[in-house]
């Protein structure tokens, strides 16, 4: 960490359903002098927050408008159907899109799953948020299709969910403003990618990183010094002490 970073705070945004705790814990261990502030942001607002400088980096759900942003895709989530526990779709361990033909499906305005054709029948309203849609499902008004982490986030005792086969999936990614790729952002990228403290791309002290290179550089010279000298014919030179000696009698 440079002197200019002393007293700084790393601001990390994340959308609903993403759990950044494991990366935050690593940051706390490696960067104790740089506090990390978590910002819970709706999926529709996180890109604007990053562009406006309100956060240094953020976990987003793809697709997003990548203009001016650097993005590292991380993992893909299973899409599930959230339904009342007594709904017919809960009879199976997995559900196909064709099984939802006659069901009303809520399409919340904050939905991040890209559908070429949405399954089922359009519901009577488009809820503002996934949380609102889940409440309507609990009221028995229809079903909702969400990434599995959101189904867990909005878990209710009267609801359950099932994996939805042949459905598009939501992908979580790390994003940050390309023009604001600071050393702290690079540090967090290294943590998310699982780099160790001594990684060659990490910001570690120079001397430990140089030792292997120095050791490697010395090996050719050492081999050259240990290699016997050769005479003009290309044969190895015979030591002077052995010249002129005949064969040892048997």
């Amino acid at each position: 960490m440079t002197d200019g970073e002393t007293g700084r705070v790393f601001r990390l945004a994340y959308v609903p359903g993403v759990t950044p705790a494991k990366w935050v814990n690593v940051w706390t261990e490696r960067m104790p002098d740089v506090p990390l502030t978590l910002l819970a942001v709706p999926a529709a607002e996180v890109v604007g927050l990053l562009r406006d400088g309100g956060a240094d980096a953020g976990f987003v759900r793809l697709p997003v408008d990548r203009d001016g942003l650097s993005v590292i895709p991380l993992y893909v989530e299973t899409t599930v159907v959230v339904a009342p526990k007594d709904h017919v779709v809960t009879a199976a361990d997995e559900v196909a899109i064709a099984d939802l033909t006659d069901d009303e499906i809520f399409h919340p305005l904050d939905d991040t799953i890209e559908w070429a054709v949405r399954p089922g029948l359009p519901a009577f309203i488009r809820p503002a948020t996934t949380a609102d849609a889940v409440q309507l499902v609990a009221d028995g008004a229809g079903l909702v299709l969400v990434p599995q982490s959101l189904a867990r986030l909005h878990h209710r005792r009267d609801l359950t969910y099932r994996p939805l086969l042949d459905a598009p999936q939501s992908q979580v990614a790390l994003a940050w403003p390309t023009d604001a790729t600071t050393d702290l952002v690079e540090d967090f990228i290294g943590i998310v990618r699982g780099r160790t403290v001594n990684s060659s791309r990490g910001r570690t002290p120079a001397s430990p990183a140089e030792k292997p290179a120095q050791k490697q550089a010395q090996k050719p010279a050492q081999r050259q010094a240990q290699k016997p000298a050769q005479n003009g014919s290309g044969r190895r030179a015979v030591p002077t002490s052995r010249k002129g000696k005949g064969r040892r009698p048997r």
Side-chain angles (χ1 to χ4, degrees), residues 90-178:
T90 64
D93 293 333
E94 297 176 325
V95 180
I97 287 180
D99 297 330
L100 305 178
T101 303
D102 298 326
D103 288 288
E104 292 190 4
I105 308 295
F106 289 107
H107 183 199
L109 295 175
D110 63 356
D111 184 19
T112 57
I113 300 175
E114 281 198 321
W115 298 92
V117 178
R118 291 192 60 81
L121 304 172
F124 66 95
I125 189 175
R126 284 199 68 183
T129 66
T130 297
D132 293 337
V134 170
Q135 178 60 56
L136 289 168
V137 173
D139 294 338
L143 308 178
V144 66
L145 313 176
V146 297
Q148 183 169 306
S149 66
L150 288 181
R152 292 172 176 168
L153 177 66
H154 300 294
H155 171 71
R156 295 173 51 118
R157 292 184 178 180
D158 52 348
L159 299 180
T160 188
Y161 61 87
R162 293 290 185 271
L164 185 60
L165 302 177
D166 56 17
Q169 297 176 313
S170 173
Q171 187 170 28
V172 174
L174 178 67
W176 68 95
T178 303

Side-chain angles (χ1 to χ4, degrees), residues 20-31:
K22 63 179 180 180
W23 298 300
V24 173
N25 289 339
V26 177
W27 177 276
T28 303
E29 293 175 359
R30 295 187 187 178
M31 311 287 289

